[in-house]
Amino acid sequence: MSGGTADEGVATGETLMEVDGMSKYFQSEGGFLASLRGAADVKAVDDVTFDIKKGETLALVGESGCGKSTLARTILQLHRPTEGSIRFKGTDLTDLSSREIRPLRQDMQMVFQDPHSSLNPRLKVGQIIEEPMKAHDMYDAAGRRERAEKLLESVGLEAAHYHRYPHEFSGGQRQRVNLARAFSTDPEIIMCDEPTSALDVSVQAQVLNVMKRLQDEFGVTYLFISHDMSVVRYVADRVAVMYLGHVAELAEKEALFENPKHPYTRALLDSIPVPDPRSTGERGTLAGDVPSPTNPPSGCRFRTRCPKLIQPGTYDVTREELADDAAGAALQSYDLDEPTWRNVIGFVRAVDRRSFTLENVEDSPDAVRAFLDERFFAGSTPSGEPADVIDDAARLLAEERWDEAADHLRTTFEEPSICAARRPAYVLEEDVEEERFVACHLYRDSETDSSH
Amino acid sequence: MSNETILEVDGLKTHFYTEQGVVRAVDGVSFDVREREIVGIVGESGAGKSVATTSILRLIEEPGQIVDGEITYRDLTIVGFEEQDDGTLTPREAMLSNREMRDQVRGNEIAIIFQDPMESLNPVYSVGHQVTEFIELNRELSGGDARQEAIDMLREVGIPEPENRFDDYPHEFSGGMRQRVLIAMALGCRPTLIIADEPTTALDVTVEGQILDLVKDLQTKYGTSFIWVTHDMGIVAEICDRVNVMYLGEIVEQGPVDDIFHDTKHPYTQKLLESIPRPDRTVTELDPIAGTMPSAINPPRACRFHTRCPDARVACTEVEPRFVAVGNDADGDGDEHEGEHNDHRTACIKYDDVGYWDSVPLEKVGDRDIQYVGDRS
């Protein structure tokens, strides 16, 4: 990789951006009335820390609403963060005024998803590419034109296309024009927000290849936002998986895909249909919906859907760490064996999601309990205190008091878990001298460094 | 597979008469659907997938028109033409009237699910009301029975507490839940065939997984056949029994899903498979298809893929490819055994005896990406 022109000391592989404790909250409803009613903020990004290295492609992946676009936009100061700092080549961008940031935009460019609406239809392609150079007073007119023509060739178009209008180009070609425009100011970093999501697969491959080639040529850093794990596997060097405003896991691409640590990463990877009918292994399915970001779960935000939720008592938590309603429940260990615990959690979730019906069951507590035993606890029913709680739930269900049953079960079995009590953040040292970040308490004992 | 064929599409042509010219969106397409199977129609945008499937329900709107071909559903003629003395085509007597299509076919025999559930649901009526109404229209149920059936179907597709959500409006449901509602509506009429037009494309991958699981369960339970329209080869691999690959208004290859992926014949199918990034392995260099899809107004002569095909020879610009059977040898041992099929067909003259191999390769035009003719979408 050959370096760009404006290196200013940051070598390839060194830290280009440092994001530290960054949060971005949005008001869920605007205005004074909303604040009177105490409308909660949407915690789009919540206390996120990581860095971006020069010349790499860091992918931000996750499902809609996970905060990946907000995170990227906040890093580039399109949104101002609610909290935290973002250091770009040593300068904290959050200290700067909008006016002070403007000249830095030369180094931070963007490419968006929709190739149809992101180009001004009244401008010629050449003018579109020159626009950012003009804004930053780069080169004279002849120099800009020369650079625009050169860039058209770099993205696989022709210099002669300088005089054409956007409507004369297909979606894939327009995305190449967008790339040429982004590269015109010779930026350090380009944020690409789902740059190929609107394109057909054959065209997507062309654009992805152009992006890779440009990176080799100019040594640029990509912050690549995508929901498509296959595309990420093709372009990324490192991957940050986001869930509901948190980074769940950040690792080198190969490590992440071949050995996903966070249960959410695993679930995400397992749910992709593999383009091969002979592919072995069942596709996994993650049940339930993403909770609302206005009132996200405490601790690990994935814990309401996590198949690996840790049993209360496995790790000590203090009374202060527990939510008020859970604090009364217990700071104790039930010591259920693994299959029984899985059954219990399956039952708690089923009640919470109302994924079963008691329509054909007699509405006596005993009948309900017998039904539950057969449906959820076949093989291993808990005894002792947990059994009493399930009896209580059966009684509530028999009276059709589902919400109370769900609350009772959650406060007993889920809320006292370390997963609900404490936000996980662990840095693991991998064999390959690479650090990896996993926000999951399962890795509590393998932590090597608690700097996060 | 010995299941009975329920739908047969033969030589279907659906054209759009626009100011720019005649768009030959579907131009001579033939495939069939058997009982209890999921048939995929896969291709990129502009291939004609959706036009082909909406033609089956005769939901083509102006300026579009079905101009030729036969569509037969069991013993019903959905589309059929006969040639007059002056050479023009007129609809056959047996062809169903619009009223018969509505009363006898749409909904209760063949239902359709679209990509965007918000467009199929009316925002001002409650979800329960719409499902109930749909069931009343298509089945001999009314009042409380229809309501109960609607609740049962909503529960069947995994809507929690359907009694309580019955009066909720579409915007109160998530994207995945709305798509479940549409599946409930489609299934509520107990159709034999459901056409699913990219129903999971707008959904997140974990939600898509939930919907695919649901469809597979329901298909086993009710024995419904599906035509699944998609651009996603992963979904094709997972749920389809047989696949039709479309390019620019034509089917270029059709066959059992395993043959399409592991005994790929048509260069377009091959290139399509090579151009997808994989979730299950790291590919160092994708091999894209050069260029963009030409316009369906003036499609390339003879084989429509010849302008982008790496194997194209001069003959490909001259000889109209016909379907040739290529799949008689499922186990690859050189013999056709009992149980092996000859369902695998492709429209490429490499596999036909029409002079491909004696022909001269088309000169490499370099990066054939640069084409503007008709490429003004």
Side-chain angles (χ1 to χ4, degrees):
Chain A
M1 260 184 270
S2 62
T5 49
D7 273 18
E8 288 168 34
V10 183
T12 299
E14 299 292 311
T15 299
L16 182 68
M17 285 250 188
E18 274 177 276
V19 179
D20 193 6
M22 194 189 84
S23 299
K24 177 65 195 174
Y25 300 163
F26 295 103
Q27 275 182 328
S28 55
E29 296 170 69
F32 175 66
L33 282 175
S35 65
L36 273 189
R37 271 186 274 124
D41 286 345
V42 176
K43 297 179 176 176
V45 175
D46 191 26
D47 192 7
V48 162
T49 299
F50 62 93
D51 51 21
I52 306 173
K53 297 172 193 161
K54 185 174 163 63
E56 76 167 341
T57 300
L58 175 67
L60 296 176
V61 298
E63 301 180 275
S64 32
C66 71
K68 54 191 188 299
S69 290
T70 305
L71 174 56
R73 279 156 203 254
T74 313
I75 290 172
L76 297 196
Q77 302 294 303
L78 298 179
H79 302 309
R80 287 307 193 116
T82 312
E83 256 177 77
S85 67
I86 299 122
R87 302 182 82 80
F88 175 60
K89 297 201 285 192
T91 311
D92 188 346
L93 299 178
T94 58
D95 286 344
L96 304 180
S97 68
S98 303
R99 183 182 293 271
E100 288 167 318
I101 285 175
R102 207 165 299 144
L104 292 177
R105 297 235 174 267
Q106 184 182 334
D107 277 335
M108 305 183 282
Q109 292 288 330
M110 281 146 280
V111 175
F112 294 105
Q113 172 175 355
D114 186 353
H116 296 285
S117 63
S118 52
L119 296 176
N120 185 338
R122 279 188 282 275
L123 295 183
K124 289 176 182 171
V125 158
Q127 294 172 293
I128 288 172
I129 296 170
E130 288 180 14
E131 228 177 16
M133 292 189 272
K134 263 191 191 155
H136 292 289
D137 256 338
M138 297 174 76
Y139 314 102
D140 57 9
R144 286 197 289 268
R145 170 154 188 171
E146 192 188 330
R147 184 166 173 82
E149 287 176 342
K150 200 170 149 278
L151 281 165
L152 278 168
E153 284 170 359
S154 294
V155 297
L157 297 169
E158 291 171 15
H161 295 153
Y162 183 91
H163 291 293
R164 293 188 187 255
Y165 287 93
H167 75 265
E168 297 178 68
F169 294 85
S170 67
Q173 291 165 335
R174 284 182 218 200
Q175 216 50 319
R176 292 172 193 239
V177 173
N178 267 324
L179 283 168
R181 175 174 62 180
F183 274 90
S184 68
T185 60
D186 197 14
E188 287 277 6
I189 184 165
I190 299 181
M191 176 187 98
C192 311
D193 194 346
E194 305 265 10
T196 62
S197 300
L199 306 177
D200 273 316
V201 283
S202 67
V203 179
Q204 163 174 284
Q206 295 170 359
V207 173
L208 293 176
N209 284 352
V210 169
M211 288 183 66
K212 282 188 152 193
R213 211 169 57 222
L214 290 168
Q215 186 171 47
D216 286 346
E217 193 177 333
F218 296 100
V220 74
T221 307
Y222 287 131
L223 185 57
F224 191 96
I225 304 163
S226 181
H227 69 282
D228 187 328
M229 295 298 272
S230 309
V231 168
V232 164
R233 183 155 198 173
Y234 183 56
V235 298
D237 296 307
R238 291 192 304 152
V239 183
V241 180
M242 291 193 69
Y243 183 81
L244 208 54
H246 286 178
V247 171
E249 180 163 8
L250 197 161
E252 295 283 312
K253 168 179 68 182
E254 277 311 301
L256 188 106
F257 278 89
E258 288 301 322
N259 181 18
K261 301 263 189 202
H262 198 288
Y264 176 62
T265 312
R266 200 163 297 194
L268 199 56
L269 290 174
D270 282 350
S271 57
I272 308 169
V274 175
D276 181 354
R278 291 184 191 171
S279 134
T280 48
E282 274 288 281
R283 182 177 50 72
T285 302
L286 183 61
D289 292 325
V290 183
S292 158
T294 51
N295 185 21
S298 63
C300 170
R301 290 192 171 174
F302 186 56
R303 52 126 168 145
T304 56
R305 304 169 78 192
C306 183
K308 300 265 185 204
L309 183 80
I310 297 167
Q311 197 178 156
T314 309
Y315 297 107
D316 288 337
V317 294
T318 62
R319 202 166 280 279
E320 290 70 40
E321 287 178 300
L322 295 178
D324 293 342
D325 53 351
L331 290 172
Q332 57 178 310
S333 175
Y334 298 127
D335 282 329
L336 299 173
D337 60 53
E338 191 58 23
T340 311
W341 169 242
R342 291 294 142 225
N343 288 348
V344 169
I345 269 311
F347 171 60
V348 174
R349 302 242 165 96
V351 174
D352 200 32
R353 295 180 190 134
R354 304 210 181 181
S355 55
F356 64 100
T357 169
L358 294 170
E359 236 176 35
N360 301 319
V361 183
E362 209 185 305
D363 51 6
S364 78
D366 286 346
V368 170
R369 182 64 216 256
F371 168 82
L372 299 178
D373 269 342
E374 193 188 320
R375 164 109 188 214
F376 295 100
F377 300 103
S380 40
T381 314
S383 53
E385 218 175 308
D388 297 342
V389 175
I390 293 166
D391 285 339
D392 293 343
R395 207 157 27 244
L396 290 165
L397 290 176
E399 296 167 23
E400 294 192 36
R401 291 155 69 187
W402 283 74
D403 288 340
E404 288 163 73
D407 280 348
H408 187 44
L409 290 168
R410 266 199 319 258
T411 48
T412 311
F413 293 116
E414 192 169 316
E415 300 291 343
S417 164
I418 187 173
C419 301
R422 204 178 296 163
R423 177 169 172 181
Y426 302 106
V427 176
L428 315 180
E429 203 85 44
E430 294 283 278
D431 299 340
V432 280
E433 73 208 45
E434 271 305 329
E435 275 183 358
R436 110 182 248 187
F437 171 77
V438 188
C440 175
H441 290 300
L442 289 173
Y443 299 93
R444 196 177 156 71
D445 297 333
S446 16
E447 187 180 28
T448 54
D449 168 10
S450 53
S451 63
H452 257 74
Chain B
M1 248 193 281
S2 55
N3 283 346
E4 196 194 328
T5 298
I6 53 170
L7 180 84
E8 213 165 338
V9 177
D10 188 17
L12 174 72
K13 291 188 180 179
T14 305
H15 294 171
F16 288 76
Y17 296 87
T18 68
E19 282 172 25
Q20 288 78 36
V22 181
V23 180
R24 305 160 77 94
V26 169
D27 210 22
V29 156
S30 305
F31 65 96
D32 59 12
V33 181
R34 298 166 192 160
E35 275 181 326
R36 298 176 172 272
E37 72 169 348
I38 301 186
V39 171
I41 298 188
V42 65
E44 300 179 271
S45 33
K49 316 181 288 285
S50 294
V51 175
T53 47
T54 36
S55 297
I56 294 170
L57 285 173
R58 296 226 320 248
L59 290 171
I60 297 295
E61 286 172 8
E62 290 287 321
Q65 206 183 327
I66 299 171
V67 293
D68 197 3
E70 303 267 328
I71 301 177
T72 318
Y73 174 76
R74 295 199 190 274
D75 52 358
L76 301 174
T77 305
I78 293 178
V79 171
F81 291 96
E82 56 195 358
E83 201 173 332
Q84 298 301 309
D85 294 340
D86 62 356
T88 56
L89 293 175
T90 53
R92 276 214 313 270
E93 180 105 13
M95 191 162 136
L96 299 180
S97 68
N98 286 340
R99 196 195 165 83
E100 286 168 327
M101 275 302 290
R102 202 168 54 223
D103 293 348
Q104 294 177 27
V105 179
R106 274 181 225 137
N108 49 13
E109 288 292 342
I110 307 177
I112 188 160
I113 303 170
F114 291 105
Q115 175 176 343
D116 181 359
M118 263 327 237
E119 271 178 26
S120 307
L121 292 169
N122 189 330
V124 303
Y125 292 107
S126 76
V127 161
H129 173 87
Q130 295 184 61
V131 179
T132 309
E133 187 182 33
F134 199 71
I135 288 170
E136 282 177 336
L137 277 175
N138 288 291
R139 285 174 65 189
E140 301 193 344
L141 288 174
S142 58
D145 291 342
R147 184 189 159 93
Q148 190 53 50
E149 177 71 9
I151 289 173
D152 289 347
M153 289 322 296
L154 288 172
R155 179 173 296 116
E156 181 86 9
V157 298
I159 307 273
E161 13 163 17
E163 297 91 344
N164 296 335
R165 305 231 43 191
F166 194 85
D167 295 321
D168 284 359
Y169 288 87
H171 73 268
E172 295 174 90
F173 284 66
S174 67
M177 284 296 164
R178 279 182 220 137
Q179 207 52 279
R180 286 172 193 262
V181 170
L182 287 198
I183 294 172
M185 281 167 101
L187 271 180
C189 303
R190 299 277 188 278
T192 313
L193 172 64
I194 294 181
I195 296 172
D197 192 350
E198 304 250 14
T200 62
T201 302
L203 304 176
D204 275 320
V205 63
T206 59
V207 183
E208 171 181 272
Q210 296 171 356
I211 298 286
L212 293 180
D213 285 351
L214 173 69
V215 165
K216 283 192 282 188
D217 287 350
L218 294 173
Q219 202 235 357
T220 314
K221 184 167 172 187
Y222 293 100
T224 318
S225 301
F226 279 83
I227 297 177
W228 201 282
V229 178
T230 182
H231 66 280
D232 186 329
M233 293 304 258
I235 294 180
V236 170
E238 177 167 331
I239 65 167
C240 292
D241 298 304
R242 290 188 301 146
V243 185
N244 298 283
V245 182
M246 282 191 80
Y247 182 78
L248 203 55
E250 297 178 334
I251 292 174
V252 295
E253 182 163 7
Q254 65 186 189
V257 65
D258 194 71
D259 290 32
I260 295 294
F261 282 83
H262 290 285
D263 188 20
T264 318
K265 295 295 192 208
H266 199 284
Y268 175 64
T269 318
Q270 273 161 2
K271 294 299 290 182
L272 193 62
L273 287 169
E274 282 166 17
S275 63
I276 37 176
R278 306 273 308 207
D280 55 335
R281 58 171 188 255
T282 301
V283 180
T284 42
E285 180 79 32
L286 285 178
D287 192 5
I289 307 179
T292 47
M293 202 183 283
S295 152
I297 293 182
N298 277 310
R301 235 163 11 115
C303 174
R304 292 186 176 181
F305 188 54
H306 82 248
T307 57
R308 305 171 74 190
C309 181
D311 301 343
R313 299 192 173 196
V314 171
C316 302
T317 69
E318 293 164 347
V319 185
E320 189 71 41
R322 51 178 187 154
F323 258 128
V324 266
V326 285
N328 291 340
D329 183 21
D331 62 5
D333 67 355
D335 291 315
E336 186 185 347
H337 300 288
E338 207 181 336
E340 294 185 0
H341 63 82
N342 61 3
D343 277 349
H344 189 186
R345 283 181 285 270
T346 190
C348 174
I349 60 168
K350 271 163 89 176
Y351 306 96
D352 207 350
D353 190 16
V354 290
Y356 171 83
W357 299 104
D358 301 329
S359 179
V360 184
L362 275 190
E363 209 180 318
K364 286 280 173 205
V365 200
D367 189 358
R368 276 182 279 181
D369 185 33
I370 315 302
Q371 293 176 343
Y372 294 99
V373 184
D375 182 21
R376 301 188 173 203
S377 54

